[in-house]
Amino acid sequence: KITKDKNGIDLVTLQNPIGFSVQVSLHGGQVLSWKNERGEELLFRSSKANCKPPAAVRGGIPICFPQFGNRGSLEQHGFARNKIWEIDNNPPMLNHNNCNGNSFIDLLLKPSEEDMKIWPHSFEFRLRVLLTSDGALKLISRIRNIGSKAFSFSIAYHTYFSVSDISEVRIEGLETLDYLDNLHHKERFTEQGDTLTFESEVDRVYISSPHIIGVFDHGKKRTFLIRKEGLPDAVVWNPWEKKAKTITDMGDEEYRQTICVDGAAVEKSITLKPGEEWTGRLELSVLPSI
Ligand code: BG6
């Protein structure tokens, strides 16, 4: 189903037979909503979110491409999240996911002349957003170099999970890993704790993280499982009180209602030679906590 938001941008809604739904905007190819069978929102969106392009909506899953953060000369998190994507009506074959009860949409981003001036590389970024019959949300990215010289990029699916309260959240799967700490000049540290809990601002890139990461929310008695392929790193971000106050499109207390955990390729950029294609897959599922 396609509707328009108040700025005239297409929003695509996917539904599955058991009542889950996903909403994705052509602005940024950004997933804005993922709801369970009871209609409960699983992704955070700020009450102060600015939905007017080019700024990305504060919440959902903005895609950071071709740069993560300020690790390069481009604007923060690259330009893909600020662009209007198109619906790809004739995507090249993808063998998976055509099972009964799955619902999906294919989106496409190609650089404009303006993009080529700041990042002179010809690419096609294909994004399949898929809601499975059991309610999992899959994001499959395929990036192809259609130019005549190699290029390198970073990518992150900047996922804002909705949580009861940040004090009730723990993350499993990142114990003992090395991380780059954005709060300490991107220096490298090693995680010491058993599980990750939150008491202050966190802004880290965990390097070579496992394929599955668990985000446990004791308050809502809910567990998110993040499965990723082709995305070696995991970004964890919560701005906490002081930084949240400086973010104009986020309420002062809203940092308590979200945790960002991104499947990402940041530490080592990905290089594509002419004609080469890269695929990265993220799968989010939700379970009641045991
Ligand atoms: C995180 C970065 O991933 O995104 C943070 O590591 C940044 O440093 C945050 O503040 C939000 O970025 P933005 O551009 O959406 O405000």
Coordinates of all heavy atoms in Angstrom, one line a residue, residues 63-70 74-81 158 262:
I63 N 19.6 5.1 6.9 CA 20.7 4.4 6.4 C 21.9 5.3 6.2 O 21.8 6.4 5.5 CB 20.4 3.7 5.0 CG1 19.4 2.6 5.3 CG2 21.6 3.1 4.4 CD1 18.8 2.0 4.1
C64 N 23.0 5.1 6.9 CA 24.2 5.9 6.8 C 25.0 5.3 5.6 O 25.5 4.2 5.7 CB 25.0 5.9 8.1 SG 24.0 6.2 9.5
F65 N 25.2 6.1 4.6 CA 25.9 5.7 3.4 C 26.2 6.9 2.5 O 25.4 7.8 2.4 CB 25.1 4.7 2.5 CG 25.7 4.4 1.2 CD1 26.6 3.3 1.1 CD2 25.4 5.1 0.1 CE1 27.2 3.1 -0.2 CE2 26.0 4.9 -1.2 CZ 26.9 3.8 -1.3
P66 N 27.4 7.1 1.9 CA 28.5 6.2 1.9 C 29.6 6.4 3.0 O 30.7 5.9 2.9 CB 29.1 6.5 0.5 CG 28.8 7.9 0.2 CD 27.5 8.2 1.0
Q67 N 29.2 7.2 4.0 CA 30.1 7.5 5.1 C 29.4 7.3 6.4 O 28.2 7.6 6.5 CB 30.5 8.9 4.9 CG 31.4 9.5 6.1 CD 31.7 11.0 5.9 OE1 32.3 11.3 4.9 NE2 31.3 11.8 6.8
F68 N 30.1 6.8 7.4 CA 29.5 6.7 8.7 C 30.0 7.9 9.6 O 31.2 8.1 9.6 CB 29.8 5.4 9.4 CG 29.2 5.4 10.8 CD1 27.9 5.2 11.0 CD2 30.1 5.6 11.9 CE1 27.4 5.2 12.3 CE2 29.5 5.6 13.2 CZ 28.2 5.4 13.4
G69 N 29.1 8.6 10.2 CA 29.5 9.7 11.1 C 30.3 10.7 10.4 O 30.0 11.1 9.3
N70 N 31.4 11.2 11.0 CA 32.2 12.3 10.4 C 33.5 11.7 10.0 O 34.5 12.4 9.9 CB 32.3 13.4 11.4 CG 33.0 13.0 12.7 OD1 33.3 11.8 12.8 ND2 33.1 13.9 13.7
L74 N 32.5 13.9 3.7 CA 31.1 14.1 3.4 C 30.3 14.6 4.6 O 30.8 14.6 5.7 CB 30.4 12.8 2.9 CG 31.0 12.2 1.7 CD1 30.2 10.9 1.3 CD2 31.0 13.2 0.5
E75 N 29.0 15.0 4.4 CA 28.2 15.4 5.5 C 28.0 14.2 6.5 O 28.2 13.0 6.1 CB 26.8 15.8 5.0 CG 26.1 14.7 4.3 CD 25.0 15.2 3.3 OE1 23.9 15.5 3.8 OE2 25.3 15.3 2.1
Q76 N 27.7 14.5 7.8 CA 27.5 13.5 8.8 C 26.7 12.3 8.3 O 25.6 12.6 7.7 CB 26.9 14.2 10.0 CG 26.2 13.3 11.0 CD 27.1 12.9 12.2 OE1 28.3 13.0 12.1 NE2 26.5 12.5 13.2
H77 N 27.1 11.1 8.4 CA 26.4 9.9 8.0 C 26.1 9.8 6.5 O 25.3 9.0 6.1 CB 25.1 9.7 8.8 CG 25.3 9.4 10.2 ND1 26.4 8.6 10.7 CD2 24.6 9.7 11.3 CE1 26.3 8.5 12.0 NE2 25.2 9.1 12.4
G78 N 26.8 10.6 5.7 CA 26.6 10.5 4.2 C 25.3 11.0 3.7 O 24.5 11.5 4.5
F79 N 25.0 10.9 2.4 CA 23.9 11.6 1.8 C 22.7 10.7 1.6 O 21.6 11.2 1.4 CB 24.3 12.3 0.5 CG 25.0 11.4 -0.5 CD1 24.3 10.5 -1.2 CD2 26.4 11.5 -0.6 CE1 25.0 9.7 -2.1 CE2 27.1 10.7 -1.6 CZ 26.4 9.8 -2.3
A80 N 22.8 9.4 1.7 CA 21.7 8.5 1.3 C 20.5 8.7 2.1 O 19.3 8.7 1.6 CB 22.1 7.0 1.4
R81 N 20.6 9.1 3.4 CA 19.4 9.2 4.2 C 18.7 10.5 3.9 O 17.5 10.7 4.4 CB 19.8 9.2 5.7 CG 20.7 10.3 6.2 CD 21.0 10.2 7.7 NE 21.9 11.3 8.1 CZ 22.0 11.6 9.4 NH1 21.4 11.0 10.3 NH2 22.9 12.6 9.7
H158 N 21.1 2.5 11.0 CA 21.1 3.2 12.3 C 19.8 3.0 13.0 O 18.9 3.8 13.0 CB 21.3 4.7 12.0 CG 21.8 5.5 13.1 ND1 21.8 5.1 14.4 CD2 22.4 6.7 13.2 CE1 22.3 6.0 15.2 NE2 22.7 7.0 14.5
D262 N 23.3 -0.6 15.6 CA 23.3 -0.6 14.1 C 24.2 -1.8 13.6 O 25.4 -1.9 14.0 CB 24.0 0.6 13.5 CG 23.6 2.0 14.2 OD1 22.9 2.0 15.1 OD2 24.2 3.0 13.7

